Amino acid sequence: MKAAPFAYERPSSLDAAIALMAEAKGTTKIMAGGQSLGPMLNLRLVQPDLIIDLTGLAELKQAERSGDELVIGACVTHGDIEDGRIPDVTRHAMQRVASGIAYRAVRNRGTIGGSLSHADPAADWVSALPALGARVRLRSPAGHRDLAMEDFMTGALETALQANELVESVRVPIMRASARWSYAKACRKPGEFAHAIAAVMIDPETATGRVVIGAIDAPPIVLTDASLLFGGKITGNFKREFVAEAADALLIKAGIVNAADRHIHVAILRRAIDEAAA
């Protein structure tokens, strides 16, 4: 099977891309790295009238510090992050996440903005970035708007992107020196999509913590205040204070009825917490 016919545009600037989106007739798809869109086109899971290719836009391939955060262009690749070609404000946390995405060939072309826009529940950035407290900047003919990462993904393969809107950048706060971070996932073999994901950022010094449980066929469970998993208070002994039953209750509330599936998720979360405490 091959893709259905479609029109193709490769704009020379972000403004030109936005204009094309506003003027387009029929359905439009944005291509950044194409690692998710390509297979979907070939399987005819999507049949757009127009594809707008952003891969040539240098303005979306930049990453720079701005104040207390790192601004990462939507077309920065996983490989760029893995290889340290962007500033490191997370003490190698993002490098670790990037290095575990699929295979090197995919990481060479796949982009952070494309991964977020595709919104596969088992993908890495949709779970890792909310734990880091990141925001996403969206761009449309009307201007831009910022969303917390936990508000961006609205369902499996669904996002808060509106008509004629695309991901422009991701904004990641500088990680505090006292913060503890870990990211863990369960895969049948390296390179496959995960069956369970846990991302943890805990700062005992400020008694704060963010925890994400991902790969649940829905938006990740994001706890911006993770204290309920630790008996109501986050301390330096958070590893010992982890309450597995509280995590299990969250999974039940999220609709995961299979006890074995919940056990895997809780086990991966416990692994991430143990690693963060190490």
Side-chain angles (χ1 to χ4, degrees):
M1 188 180 293
K2 62 180 181 179
F6 55 84
Y8 173 86
E9 295 284 353
R10 187 179 170 92
S12 58
S13 69
L14 181 56
D15 286 341
I18 296 295
L20 282 169
M21 292 173 65
E23 297 165 1
K25 307 296 183 183
T27 59
T28 301
K29 279 290 184 181
I30 299 296
M31 184 166 70
Q35 298 305 288
S36 298
L37 181 60
M40 293 179 73
L41 288 169
N42 287 337
L43 292 171
R44 299 200 176 190
L45 297 175
V46 293
Q47 298 184 44
D49 298 296
L50 170 66
I51 287 181
I52 300 175
D53 185 352
L54 306 182
T55 56
L57 301 187
E59 59 198 295
L60 295 184
K61 297 180 180 180
Q62 306 301 313
E64 60 183 6
R65 289 180 64 157
S66 176
D68 60 355
E69 62 185 5
L70 175 66
V71 181
I72 306 171
C75 288
V76 168
T77 67
H78 314 312
D80 290 332
I81 299 170
E82 177 184 11
D83 294 344
R85 289 192 290 273
I86 70 170
D88 179 24
V89 300
T90 62
R91 307 207 314 271
H92 306 298
M94 291 189 69
Q95 284 181 275
R96 176 180 171 185
V97 174
S99 67
I101 295 174
Y103 303 97
R104 182 65 205 205
V106 172
R107 299 196 292 272
N108 285 343
R109 293 192 59 85
T111 62
I112 190 168
S115 178
L116 292 177
S117 300
H118 184 54
D120 192 308
D124 293 88
W125 293 125
V126 294
S127 291
L129 289 170
L132 290 168
R135 297 178 297 133
V136 61
R137 173 158 290 186
L138 310 179
R139 177 80 177 272
S140 73
H144 69 261
R145 64 187 179 113
D146 292 338
L147 286 180
M149 269 306 313
E150 53 266 28
D151 297 326
F152 178 69
M153 184 174 170
T154 59
L157 306 180
E158 297 178 346
T159 72
L161 283 167
Q162 298 174 356
N164 300 329
E165 194 171 44
L166 53 77
V167 174
E168 179 180 39
S169 62
V170 177
R171 293 162 181 260
V172 182
I174 296 171
M175 187 183 291
R176 285 172 51 90
S178 55
R180 312 286 185 84
W181 159 267
S182 186
Y183 183 80
K185 60 182 180 177
C187 303
R188 286 196 175 93
K189 65 179 183 179
E192 286 194 345
F193 279 111
H195 302 288
I197 291 174
V200 173
M201 187 168 70
I202 295 174
D203 190 342
E205 187 175 285
T206 59
T208 59
R210 299 175 70 95
V211 168
V212 178
I213 302 172
I216 59 171
D217 295 329
I221 299 170
V222 181
L223 298 178
T224 57
D225 176 6
S227 59
L228 71 86
L229 295 179
F230 304 96
K233 184 179 180 181
I234 294 174
T235 71
N237 292 320
F238 62 87
K239 175 181 175 180
R240 295 182 180 180
E241 293 165 351
F242 172 57
V243 182
E245 293 78 8
D248 189 65
L250 286 173
L251 291 161
I252 292 172
K253 186 177 179 180
I256 302 177
V257 296
N258 185 285
D261 289 341
R262 296 200 310 273
H263 175 78
I264 293 171
H265 281 285
V266 173
I268 293 300
L269 177 56
R270 185 185 295 277
R271 181 195 301 174
I273 291 168
D274 289 352
E275 290 179 357

